[in-house]
Every structure is written in structure tokens, then in C-alpha cells.
Amino acid sequence: MIRTAARLLALLAACWWAGAAQAASAFQDWSAVVIAGDWHASDGGPTEGFDNARRDVTLALHRAGFRPENVRQFSVRPERYKDTRPLKAEPRGIYEALVDLSGRTNGGCLFYLTSHGLPQGAQVDQTILRPGTLATMLDQTCGKRPTVVVISACFSGVFVPTLAKPNRMVLTAARPDRTSFGCGQDNKYPYFDDCFLSSMPNTRDFGGLAAATRECVRAREVATNMSPPSEPQVWVGAELRPMLPLYAFDSAPN
């Protein structure tokens, strides 16, 4: 009787551990930074578009399985957003956050920036974040971990050649010589961020999300007569490509 009870307890424990392992998120040990790099619309007036995207991308990552304590938000005007408490968006602070987060997590890294862009890089407050600078930041913090980089900005395809490494995925809102759209004062989000957010609940992983976001942007630009098309870019390194399906969103459709 005692042996039978012991076996039953052992079986129940094994089932519990198996269920717990299955329930654990693929992203529970990942770190992420989500940055709104400007607050000006395309006409120079004010816009909440970048900060709306920063806030809602963060929420989407939480739903996907990222632990809130492993995600940091940054805004050019952090004092305005006491509900989400972002940090000040400037390169040094972002780098320090990457150092801290990568020091207390062992999984992958996600870097998401939404802002204006130039052929030289992307705007982060009064600074241009150049591809080489971002590559160095990621090399020194995320290193060889699986890393997903999303740049939502005009000309953001300029980041791809410099960031491309076997362990990385790079998704950008436009090719190197094209603008992206949706940065007006009345836009809730830029087109790319809107498509990223609306596509995420219907996709399983970052590979599927990239494809769905690109198609959504294409359709949105056609519907609103925006030209020339921005042509979002996606690059996935050879080491990361077969692993992407293993990193499924908690919010993925059944």
C-alpha cells in the first residue's frame, strides 16, 4: 500500500512538472527594450503615435510571454506617462538597460525602436542612432543569444547589413532608400507599428509576424494611395531561422 501510494505521488509529481514545463513561456527568460525615439509628427507638430506604439508593443510582449520585469520602456518625454513609467530615451540609458537586463536573464533579447529615420540611422531624441552604434550595443550585451531587432522608421533598412548575424532577426519598416508612413498628428500609430500590433494576435512566432506585418503594410499603403511603397525588410540569420518556431507566443492562436 505504501509503495503504491509512493508511486502514485511520484506519477502526480511528474505530471505536474510536465504540465508546468509545457505552460512555461518561451520568452520568460528573454529581455526587451521598447523605445519611442521622438514625439514630433511628420509635419513638425506633436504626435502621440510613437509613444502609443511603445506602450502597446510592450503590452503585446507581456501577452506573448515576456515577463514585465524584463521589459524596459523608453520615451523622449517620460514625465508625461506616469502610468507606464518609461525611462528617458537616450542611447546611454538604453545601453545601460541592455547591460542590466542581459545580466539577469539568460534567454534571448528583443530591441524595438519606433521613431523617425534618416539614411544615416534612426532618431533617438536629439541623437541619430547609427547602425554601427546599435550593433556594438547588442554585441556587448546580447552577444550570441537569439536576438530580434525591430526598427520602425523611415530608411530603416539601412540597419540590416550591419546588424545581420547568424543569431539575429532584423525587421524594419522600410528599405534603405524609402520612407515609411503614418507619422501624422492624427495617426494613433505609424503604419508599421499598427500592422505589427494587429498581426501579432493572429501569428504564432516572430517569423509569421514578420510576414503578416509586411503584407499588412503593403495593403495599407495601397488602400491609402501611399507611394512609393516602403517595402519593409526582414532578415533572419542561419542559426536563428530553425529556432524561431520554438519561440511561440503565449498569445498565439490555437
Side-chain angles (χ1 to χ4, degrees):
M1 179 69 70
I2 294 176
R3 289 182 180 177
T4 301
R7 290 195 189 99
L8 179 60
L9 288 173
L11 179 61
L12 290 172
C15 291
W16 185 89
W17 281 110
Q22 186 174 13
S25 170
F27 298 102
Q28 66 177 352
D29 203 27
W30 278 52
S31 61
V33 294
V34 185
I35 305 148
D38 205 341
W39 61 273
H40 295 94
S42 53
D43 63 1
T47 180
E48 290 294 324
F50 300 124
D51 276 292
N52 287 340
R54 179 262 310 161
R55 177 198 65 214
D56 292 345
V57 166
T58 299
L59 290 174
L61 294 178
H62 292 169
R63 289 191 292 268
F66 286 75
R67 297 173 65 180
E69 62 267 30
N70 294 336
V71 182
R72 300 276 174 83
Q73 300 182 56
F74 294 85
S75 172
V76 174
R77 302 187 293 177
E79 67 281 355
R80 291 174 59 90
Y81 309 104
K82 299 188 184 302
D83 55 336
T84 53
R85 295 183 294 176
L87 302 172
K88 175 67 175 177
E90 51 88 20
R92 169 53 64 177
I94 294 167
Y95 173 71
E96 290 174 351
L98 286 168
V99 170
D100 178 56
L101 290 168
S102 63
R104 23 190 214 90
T105 58
N106 295 306
C109 297
L110 183 139
F111 182 97
Y112 195 112
L113 170 63
T114 177
S115 187
H116 290 296
L118 301 91
Q120 297 81 17
Q123 190 82 26
V124 178
D125 198 9
Q126 301 301 311
T127 303
I128 300 298
L129 179 64
R130 297 175 183 272
T133 302
L134 179 55
T136 299
M137 292 167 65
L138 296 175
D139 286 345
Q140 294 181 355
T141 54
C142 300
K144 296 185 180 298
R145 301 178 188 187
T147 302
V148 176
V149 181
V150 184
I151 310 290
S152 174
C154 296
F155 311 110
S156 46
V158 71
F159 281 87
V160 174
T162 305
L163 296 182
K165 283 198 170 183
N167 62 308
R168 288 183 187 153
M169 173 180 176
V170 185
L171 174 60
T172 71
R175 66 188 224 186
D177 59 342
R178 295 281 175 87
T179 62
S180 53
F181 300 101
C183 298
Q185 294 188 48
D186 296 330
N187 292 108
K188 182 177 181 180
Y189 314 110
Y191 282 12
F192 178 89
D193 298 303
D194 198 356
C195 284
F196 185 96
L197 286 164
S198 64
S199 299
M200 196 167 184
N202 302 312
T203 52
R204 186 179 184 278
D205 54 43
F206 280 112
L209 178 56
T213 300
R214 293 176 74 188
E215 174 56 24
C216 174
V217 169
R218 185 201 65 77
R220 179 74 61 84
E221 291 174 353
V222 170
T224 54
N225 297 313
M226 294 297 181
S227 184
S230 56
E231 296 186 14
Q233 302 290 294
V234 60
W235 187 92
V236 184
E239 290 178 6
L240 184 57
R241 191 177 302 117
M243 296 173 60
L244 276 181
L246 303 178
Y247 297 114
F249 303 142
D250 286 4
S251 53
N254 294 325

